[in-house]
């Protein structure tokens, strides 16, 4: 049983508490990803650029008009973050400022007013503190946080909304993939593309995910966990996976696709690059052809492939299919570079490894 810890956070927003917590109904030994939600949520509204008073309320249905922009034109964006339990009971919210920075860029691309850093940070800190008993006590589990903003104006013309709502919901999670930390299998889908330069591929916009559902379902029907997206122009260069950035260990160097506007600038990707450079590894952010990888896998120069993401953490990839050919790696276990990153990042999450550079907000 978790003990209720006394709050260390100054309340900024008024709270309408749940009458009865649902916490005790949840089996923490069977956590999956994204199907359980904690007691409370945060809401703040914006009208003509002015943010009103935010509030915390019981998690539940939200009302809006059927003509709301988000329901038709998808003007909205979101973030994915996590809070982790330290051994001493403290709770760590990981890289809040980085997530706010990316969220702001997503908002700007979607023509949505930026949610001020103080609102974003204070709302998340107060909400996590209020629902801190929902943060799993066990290592590798977390309270997933989903901040999101939606356009709510009642108007069917295609134009930016004059009203918005920003919410934060949360829920306890285990592994993102059913494989756990066993290597997953990917396939390219050269008939489909995820994003083009100048589009919204580098924003966390709902449409990116909606457009990925059909190709992902086709990949799953063929026995793969996810699609490995290739660039939209030549359909040769590796971009990313539905919920993670990709890394390859080639000739001992760590290689990842550059941020050229078509992939999400992952916070875990940034953390991986920062750690690997600190360890003295050569890190290259450069276009990577799928054919270069197939060749390197056949000649033994490609030793590891893994994805990085908030939900996925570090997920090894054991097999990548492309047009009848394949990249084959260890299909049973994580390679040494992925393992070291996984241990270090999860160590930082849970306070077992020192916070390298103010990545942790401990409450
Ligand atoms: N790429 C996509 C498309 C994602 O949805 C995510 C998850 O947020 C990532 C990459 C990884 O980003 P992060 O490490 O910030 O979670
Ligand atoms: C995350 O890793 O936080 C994400 O947002 C991925 C998600 C689409 C499940």
């Amino acid at each position: 049983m978790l003990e209720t810890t006394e709050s260390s956070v100054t309340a900024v927003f008024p709270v309408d508490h749940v009458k009865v917590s649902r916490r005790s109904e949840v089996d923490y030994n069977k956590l999956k990803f994204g199907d359980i939600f904690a007691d409370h949520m945060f809401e703040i509204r914006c009208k003509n650029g002015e943010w009103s008073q935010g509030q915390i309320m019981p998690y539940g249905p939200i009302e809006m008009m059927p003509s709301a922009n988000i329901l038709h034109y998808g003007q909205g964006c979101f973030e994915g973050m996590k809070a982790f339990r330290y051994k001493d009971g403290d709770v760590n919210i990981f890289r809040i400022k980085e997530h706010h920075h990316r969220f702001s860029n997503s908002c700007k691309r979607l023509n949505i007013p930026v949610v001020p850093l103080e609102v974003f940070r204070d709302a998340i800190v107060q909400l996590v503190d209020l629902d801190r008993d929902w943060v799993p006590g066990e290592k590798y589990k977390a309270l997933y946080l989903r901040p999101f903003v939606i356009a709510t104006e009642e108007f069917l013309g295609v134009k930016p909304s004059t009203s918005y709502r920003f919410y934060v919901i949360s829920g306890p999670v285990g592994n993102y993939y059913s494989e756990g930390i066993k290597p997953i299998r990917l396939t390219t889908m050269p008939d489909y593309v995820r994003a083009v330069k100048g589009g919204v591929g580098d924003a966390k916009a709902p449409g990116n995910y909606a457009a990925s559902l059909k190709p992902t379902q086709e990949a799953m029907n063929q026995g793969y966990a996810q699609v490995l997206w290739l660039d939209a122009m030549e359909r040769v260069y590796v971009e990313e996976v539905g919920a993670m950035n990709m890394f390859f260990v080639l000739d001992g160097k760590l290689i990842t696709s550059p941020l050229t506007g078509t992939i999400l600038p992952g916070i875990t990707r940034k953390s991986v690059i920062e750690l690997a450079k600190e360890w003295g590894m050569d890190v290259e952010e450069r276009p990577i052809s799928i054919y270069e990888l197939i060749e390197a896998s056949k000649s033994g120069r490609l030793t590891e492939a893994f994805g990085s993401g908030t939900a996925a953490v570090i997920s090894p990839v054991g097999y990548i299919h492309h047009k009848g050919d394949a990249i084959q790696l260890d299909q049973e276990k994580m390679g040494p570079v992925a393992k070291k990153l996984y241990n270090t990042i999860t160590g930082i999450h849970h306070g077992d490894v020192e916070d390298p550079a103010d990545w942790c907000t401990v409450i």
Side-chain angles (χ1 to χ4, degrees):
M1 270 300 277
L2 290 172
E3 279 170 32
T4 308
T5 332
E6 222 170 84
S7 170
S8 55
V9 170
T10 315
V12 175
F13 301 105
V15 180
D16 176 14
H17 289 92
V18 287
K19 300 217 163 36
V20 183
S21 171
R22 290 174 283 103
R23 167 67 178 83
S24 61
E25 295 164 17
V26 179
D27 184 348
Y28 271 57
N29 294 316
K30 293 196 183 141
L31 290 180
K32 292 188 263 180
F33 179 88
D35 57 348
I36 294 166
F37 299 94
D39 284 331
H40 297 92
M41 66 184 188
F42 173 81
E43 183 198 77
I44 190 167
R45 297 183 181 209
C46 180
K47 180 92 188 142
N48 298 320
E50 293 291 315
W51 293 96
S52 62
Q53 169 68 54
Q55 49 183 322
I56 292 177
M57 56 189 69
Y59 172 83
I62 54 179
E63 258 194 13
M64 72 183 87
M65 287 302 179
S67 48
N69 178 316
I70 182 70
L71 300 176
H72 303 270
Y73 309 125
Q75 198 194 5
C77 57
F78 68 97
E79 263 310 310
M81 308 171 52
K82 277 178 174 171
F84 304 89
R85 179 77 66 177
Y86 282 180
K87 276 198 208 88
D88 65 4
D90 278 353
V91 170
N92 164 31
I93 307 168
F94 193 65
R95 302 202 83 165
I96 295 190
K97 267 202 218 142
E98 288 294 337
H99 282 280
H100 177 264
H101 179 68
R102 184 174 65 190
F103 190 50
S104 302
N105 287 339
S106 299
C107 286
K108 285 177 197 158
R109 181 62 184 84
L110 273 297
N111 210 89
I112 295 170
V114 167
V115 179
L117 173 63
E118 306 76 60
V119 173
F120 185 88
R121 186 194 51 216
D122 294 351
I124 288 171
V125 167
Q126 191 180 337
L127 186 71
V128 171
D129 186 46
L130 179 67
D131 282 339
R132 65 190 296 134
D133 285 354
W134 285 82
V135 183
E138 231 180 292
K139 201 164 177 185
Y140 312 122
K141 295 179 180 172
L143 187 73
Y144 186 76
L145 305 167
R146 175 52 63 85
F148 63 101
V149 63
I150 53 173
T152 50
E153 186 181 347
E154 288 186 79
F155 184 66
L156 285 184
V158 181
K159 65 153 194 84
S161 179
T162 54
S163 53
Y164 298 88
R165 292 189 215 161
F166 170 62
Y167 290 92
V168 187
I169 58 174
S170 76
V173 296
N175 286 321
Y176 184 66
Y177 295 113
S178 56
E179 289 88 340
I181 55 165
K182 225 183 132 190
I184 57 169
R185 292 162 61 84
L186 304 175
T187 182
T188 60
M189 279 280 176
D191 290 344
Y192 296 99
V193 295
R194 177 186 174 274
V196 289
K197 277 196 181 131
V200 293
D202 58 353
K204 256 178 117 58
N208 288 335
Y209 299 83
S212 75
L213 297 175
K214 180 176 156 59
T216 303
Q217 187 60 57
E218 286 180 20
M220 286 176 172
N221 292 348
Q222 293 167 27
Y224 300 102
Q226 285 286 322
V227 175
L228 174 67
W229 295 105
L230 298 179
D231 77 286
M233 299 302 287
E234 295 175 59
R235 307 202 182 182
V236 163
Y237 294 100
V238 167
E239 298 251 289
E240 61 177 331
V241 176
M244 54 187 204
N245 297 111
M246 280 302 299
F247 284 89
F248 300 91
V249 181
L250 181 65
D251 292 331
K253 291 183 189 156
L254 193 58
I255 312 208
T256 193
S257 314
L259 300 179
T260 51
T262 54
I263 67 170
L264 196 78
I267 314 294
T268 322
R269 175 187 181 280
K270 193 167 195 273
S271 307
V272 165
I273 293 173
E274 287 168 3
L275 287 169
K277 283 188 176 165
E278 208 182 285
W279 296 339
M281 273 192 92
D282 279 337
V283 181
E284 286 181 5
E285 295 178 63
R286 64 153 172 96
I288 316 155
S289 148
I290 188 77
Y291 297 108
E292 177 188 356
L293 293 172
I294 293 172
E295 202 43 52
S297 133
K298 289 185 177 156
S299 64
R301 291 166 50 226
L302 180 73
T303 48
E304 287 184 57
F306 59 90
S308 68
T310 298
V313 195
I314 300 292
S315 289
V317 173
Y319 186 92
I320 304 173
H321 168 263
H322 176 67
K323 291 187 171 174
D325 217 335
I327 295 166
Q328 303 214 41
L329 293 152
D330 193 326
Q331 296 188 43
E332 289 307 316
K333 58 179 193 323
M334 264 195 198
V337 176
K339 186 82 190 151
K340 186 171 176 190
L341 285 160
Y342 180 78
N343 287 342
T344 306
I345 292 174
T346 55
I348 297 166
H349 287 159
H350 294 277
D352 301 330
V353 172
E354 200 182 324
D355 179 354
D358 225 4
W359 290 1
C360 305
T361 300
V362 181
I363 58 169

